[in-house]
RNA sequence: GUGGGUGUAGCUCAGCUGGUUAGAGCGCCGGAUUGUGGAUCCGGAGGUCGCGGGUUCGAAACCCGUCACUCACCCCA
């Protein structure tokens, strides 16, 4: 038996309504905030990711699905959505468009990691990117969208944590100070952090190992190295969050894994998830557009993990199923007429179904029940001879005889009251 | 890349210190009801016990290897 490769998952019909619900909720909120959907390729030239995410990050160093194209050029399956979006923004010169450039996207991402709860090799993200606005209200807007849409999904135990990473210059000033301190306590740090001192010193502050936490308790704070402009920006971000009632916690240790973030960094965690408790995260990345060859355009965005949302989406958030009509056609004449009737119903916009395997009326009704049909049309040879069919209400068991030629219009009007969106499930 | 746990029917799982034909519940199909779903009763189908080797008179069980899944580390959404 050929099986799916490690770290990918099939989404079976039973669970796809949940996913559609999540995706539609996210998209609806984003559109309401003025974001517009962009669809970019799932693979790009490798250097795009190497230059945007950061050459020394784990993602680039060991997690990318990279392969050679036929002409030898190196391609990579996207490990995240920002790089491709920024590339498209630059390539199509969207900065020239006077309207706000606010994009949202959804789709699969790929990282070669060991799978575990809430982490897959092919996983799915929904994200937004807001280009061209340096105003802190753009940060607030993005965090607000993130918070509102997750709350709308009734996800339990959410926390929004934020931090100020400062400008690149601020971090450049801070890094040597921090490194000097870390070298002083090097012996007390875990092996990983000892390695991080050179590779990614800020990340040491976010280590979960208790000893590392203790060792870095008196570390110089990034906040003390921040320029007045960076402080002012963050101040206005927090003020904005307060103003519109978005609850948040300051987390001075929060460091995002990707190199391109600056100023505002944020993360929403969920207490009901496994070890991978980050549902969504993002931040400002003012230098990235320029770094990838565009103009100096500020930007801010976030991404949420759809698998992680699906994991904690309460069962109670059920998706209404489409009311259906089942055509129970049996007998030689009935089966033929029923098949035509089925097609007529469908062309008239009535969601209808039939199980061609069923022969007896009993088997048909059992299927109608399983499929959750509201009505079943009983159509046997007797009915054909009389030109009438029996319409059975599956909930009340009430039956009435109707002329076959009136069935379609009758069902159209009957279902009109109960159908909200004909093809929503 | 590193550790732990688990692999028995479509699903959830029993299966004792190795013992004869590998079980249950749910689900599925059929019948009781020759044209009326869900409940009940009766019957039935369905298994390379993850795979390969080994020990043994005898292995689902013990040993070795291997693969898969899973959780965690790392990292991240």
């Amino acid at each position: 038996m050929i099986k799916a490769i490690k770290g990918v998952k099939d989404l079976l019909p039973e669970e796809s309504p949940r996913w559609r619900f999540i995706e539609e909720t996210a998209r609806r909120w984003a559109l309401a905030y003025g974001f517009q959907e962009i669809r970019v390729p799932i693979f790009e030239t490798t250097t795009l990711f190497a230059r945007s995410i950061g050459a020394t990050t784990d993602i680039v160093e060991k997690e990318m699905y990279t392969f050679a194209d036929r002409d030898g050029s190196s391609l990579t399956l996207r490990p995240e959505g920002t790089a491709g979006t920024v590339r498209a923004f630059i390539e199509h010169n969207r900065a020239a468009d006077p309207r706000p450039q606010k994009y949202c996207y959804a789709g699969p991402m790929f990282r070669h990691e060991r799978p575990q709860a809430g982490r897959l090799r092919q996983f799915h993200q929904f994200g937004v990117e807001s280009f061209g606005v340096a105003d802190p209200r753009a940060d607030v807007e993005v965090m607000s969208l993130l918070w509102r849409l997750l709350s709308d999904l009734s996800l339990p135990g959410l926390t929004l944590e934020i931090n100020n990473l400062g400008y690149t210059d601020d971090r450049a000033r801070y890094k040597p100070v921090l490194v000097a301190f870390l070298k002083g306590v090097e012996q007390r740090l875990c092996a990983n952090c000892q390695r991080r001192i050179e590779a990614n010193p800020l990340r040491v502050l976010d280590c979960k190992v208790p000893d590392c936490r203790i060792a870095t308790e008196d570390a110089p704070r990034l906040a003390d190295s921040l320029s007045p402009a960076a402080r002012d920006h963050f101040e206005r971000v927090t003020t904005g969050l307060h103003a519109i009632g978005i609850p948040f916690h300051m987390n001075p240790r929060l460091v995002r894994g990707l190199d391109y973030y600056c100023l505002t960094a944020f993360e929403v965690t969920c207490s009901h998830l496994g070890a991978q408790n980050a549902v969504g995260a993002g931040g400002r990345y003012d230098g990235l557009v320029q770094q990838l060859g565009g103009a100096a355009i500020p930007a801010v965005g976030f991404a949420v993990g759809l698998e992680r949302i699906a994991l904690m989406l309460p069962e109670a958030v059920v998706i209404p199923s489409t009311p259906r009509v089942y055509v129970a056609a049996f007998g030689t004449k009935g089966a033929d007429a029923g098949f035509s009737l089925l097609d007529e119903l469908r062309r008239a916009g009535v969601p209808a179904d039939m199980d061609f395997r069923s022969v007896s009326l009993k088997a048909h009704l059992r299927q109608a029940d399983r499929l959750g049909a509201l009505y079943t049309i009983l159509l046997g040879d007797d009915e054909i001879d009389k030109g009438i069919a029996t319409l059975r209400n599956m909930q009340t068991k009430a039956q009435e005889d109707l002329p076959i030629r009136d069935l379609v219009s009758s069902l159209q009007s009957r279902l009109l009251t109960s159908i909200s969106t004909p093809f929503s499930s």
Side-chain angles (χ1 to χ4, degrees):
Chain A
M1 178 174 45
I2 298 177
K3 300 208 290 188
I5 57 182
K6 184 195 287 288
V8 308
K9 257 181 91 175
D10 298 311
L11 204 59
L12 299 175
E14 289 76 18
E15 36 195 347
S16 63
R18 281 166 72 78
W19 275 72
R20 199 157 41 232
F21 177 72
I22 293 168
E23 288 161 358
E24 281 167 4
T25 302
R27 196 174 287 119
R28 191 180 73 244
W29 274 94
L31 295 181
Y33 270 63
F35 289 82
Q36 291 180 297
E37 187 171 6
I38 184 171
R39 302 196 181 196
V40 297
I42 63 167
F43 63 155
E44 302 267 2
T45 184
T46 302
T47 49
L48 172 66
F49 300 116
R51 278 169 55 190
S52 60
I53 296 166
T56 63
T57 58
D58 276 17
I59 294 178
V60 172
E61 273 184 350
K62 49 193 185 194
E63 294 176 1
M64 294 204 303
Y65 279 95
T66 296
F67 56 97
D69 201 351
R70 286 173 174 271
D71 66 359
S73 57
S74 182
L75 304 181
T76 294
L77 260 36
R78 64 181 185 192
E80 51 96 55
T82 299
T85 307
V86 170
R87 195 224 78 231
F89 174 83
I90 297 169
E91 186 167 338
H92 300 285
N93 195 23
R94 301 295 289 187
D97 192 316
R99 292 169 297 183
Q101 296 299 303
K102 301 198 293 186
Y103 304 141
C104 66
Y105 62 83
M109 308 293 166
F110 305 85
R111 293 181 199 172
H112 189 104
E113 301 180 271
R114 284 290 287 270
Q116 71 184 76
R119 191 171 68 189
L120 294 170
R121 290 186 175 177
Q122 176 178 337
F123 61 105
H124 298 78
Q125 288 186 334
F126 173 86
V128 307
E129 318 289 356
S130 173
F131 292 105
V133 182
D135 191 292
R137 281 174 294 184
D139 308 38
V140 176
E141 175 180 56
V142 155
M143 280 187 273
S144 159
L145 170 57
L146 173 60
W147 186 255
R148 299 292 181 219
L149 88 85
L150 293 179
S151 303
D152 188 33
L153 288 167
S154 314
L155 305 186
L158 296 177
T159 308
L160 171 64
E161 298 187 342
I162 68 170
N163 191 23
N164 185 3
L165 299 182
Y167 290 102
T168 313
D169 287 351
D170 297 335
R171 288 207 299 282
R173 231 182 4 258
Y174 171 65
K175 260 186 189 173
V177 180
L178 177 63
V179 169
F181 171 86
L182 292 176
K183 285 199 167 142
V185 296
E186 189 165 358
Q187 297 311 312
R188 297 163 58 194
L189 299 175
C190 69
N192 267 308
C193 281
Q194 296 186 8
R195 192 172 43 81
R196 285 178 181 136
I197 292 177
E198 298 301 333
N200 188 2
L202 265 67
R203 185 65 184 69
V204 177
L205 299 178
D206 201 26
C207 184
K208 292 181 191 82
V209 178
D211 284 349
C212 294
R213 290 256 159 172
I214 296 164
T216 57
E217 207 130 73
D218 300 321
R221 298 166 65 91
L222 172 59
D224 298 328
S225 297
L226 295 179
S227 58
R231 288 169 203 243
D232 179 60
H233 182 93
F234 195 70
E235 173 89 24
R236 287 158 69 195
V237 167
T238 54
T239 306
L241 288 172
H242 277 304
I244 58 174
I246 307 287
F248 66 91
H249 295 281
M250 251 318 278
N251 178 0
R253 291 176 181 262
L254 176 66
V255 175
R256 306 269 57 251
L258 287 56
D259 277 2
Y260 51 62
Y261 287 112
C262 65
L263 293 172
T264 316
F266 55 92
E267 182 171 288
V268 173
T269 56
C270 173
S271 51
H272 299 245
L273 235 35
Q276 310 304 320
N277 66 349
V279 186
R284 183 164 273 283
Y285 49 97
D286 287 348
L288 182 59
V289 177
Q290 188 168 35
Q291 190 180 317
L292 290 178
I297 306 270
V300 57
F302 73 72
V304 292
L306 297 184
E307 277 80 4
R308 293 183 186 179
I309 291 178
L311 275 177
M312 55 187 193
L313 184 70
E315 280 303 323
V317 186
V318 285
I319 295 82
S321 63
T322 304
R324 285 193 167 267
V325 174
Y326 186 92
V327 181
F330 55 102
T332 35
K333 284 185 280 187
D336 287 346
F339 189 60
S340 304
L341 176 63
L342 177 67
D343 184 61
E344 259 187 87
L345 287 165
R346 288 168 169 174
R347 279 186 288 146
V350 176
D353 207 353
M354 177 194 296
D355 177 12
F356 308 128
R357 298 168 305 180
S358 299
V359 183
S360 64
L361 177 57
K362 184 190 181 72
H364 274 300
L365 277 167
R366 190 159 48 219
Q367 283 304 71
D369 186 45
R370 279 199 272 248
L371 295 173
L374 276 186
Y375 293 98
T376 298
I377 295 169
L378 312 188
L379 202 57
D381 290 348
D382 294 356
E383 283 78 4
I384 302 299
D385 291 341
K386 286 185 264 180
I388 55 105
T390 303
L391 184 64
R392 179 180 176 86
N393 182 317
M394 294 301 281
Q395 267 130 49
T396 65
K397 296 184 177 185
Q399 297 192 167
E400 62 183 298
D401 290 343
L402 292 171
I404 292 175
R405 72 172 78 84
D406 295 346
L407 274 172
V408 173
S409 59
S410 172
L411 281 164
Q412 270 181 318
S413 56
R414 277 166 206 261
L415 292 177
L416 209 63
T417 48
S418 47
I419 295 181
S420 44
T421 45
F423 297 105
S424 70
S425 89

